[in-house]
Amino acid sequence: MPPITTASLIQMKEQGEKIAVLTSYDASFTSLLEDAGIDVILVGDSLGMVIQGQESTLPVDVEDMVYHTRCVARGRRNSLLIADMPFMSYSSAELALKTAGHLMKDGGAHMVKLEGGATQLETVRQLTSNGIPVCAHLGLLPQSVHKLGGYRVQGRDDESARIMKEDAMALEAAGAQMLVLECVPTDLAAEISRELTIPVIGIGAGAGCDGQVLVLYDMLGITPGKPAKFVKNFLRHTHSVAEAVSAYVKDVKAGTFPAAEHSFE
Ligand code: KIV
């Protein structure tokens, strides 16, 4: 199978083929995700919560991300590998270049992800003009949880929806090659997905996005605590982790996940 690239993801969007994305943090799970035909693997800074047991993603540092990205890269075969830039590791364009370079050169990432809209445009321009592919992230921004006042659906009123649409367009124009939308009403996420030429990957953003992402431990039902509304436990009706991941890929490709019960109005 040919490797997934930023070009093949755009082609998938154009052809209406849904993109299946999961997080991974180590080589063994990555190999299993590859066997199931995952398109994109995200080494999310969610590792702070599901691997390190932290209360938020804020304490994760660049060396944590490089270490886990390197582990994942050893198990990767065809998927595109994205690594999160952790909190405060891209607070200036100069620092972002240093962090992204480390994640790509020493971790083996193909693309880096950062959170934020208008404030990140210059950073996105700098990264992409230096040959670093960028995945942007709008909606609920976990690194801004204290500013947002909690993990809440974003873009529900007209003004915040307008700003999110403008930010999405501006990020694409600045060179971002993928966008994650987290906890965004279904209709707004679908509209943004239609407007953009780059793939839009949703998490709690409804079935109208070009692809879906979940935190691996959430979709296996092993994250402690009450699962978020947008999470489906794929292990519950299967017999193994491999079967659960295959069921996720199949449901994303078929457009049957997420259902209305996993989405927001
Ligand atoms: O860190 C992460 O796992 C993420 C996903 C929730 C998109 O950013």
Side-chain angles (χ1 to χ4, degrees), residues 23 42 44-46 84 113 137 180 182 203 213 215:
T23 67
L42 168 67
D45 61 355
S46 50
D84 257 337
K113 179 162 81 60
H137 185 151
V180 165
E182 179 164 357
I203 173 164
V213 59
V215 169

Side-chain angles (χ1 to χ4, degrees), residues 35-58:
D35 291 344
I38 202 81
D39 298 309
V40 177
I41 293 178
L42 168 67
V43 186
D45 61 355
S46 50
L47 70 84
M49 297 166 89
V50 299
I51 302 283
Q52 298 176 337
Q54 314 267 16
E55 281 191 359
S56 74
T57 59
L58 273 63

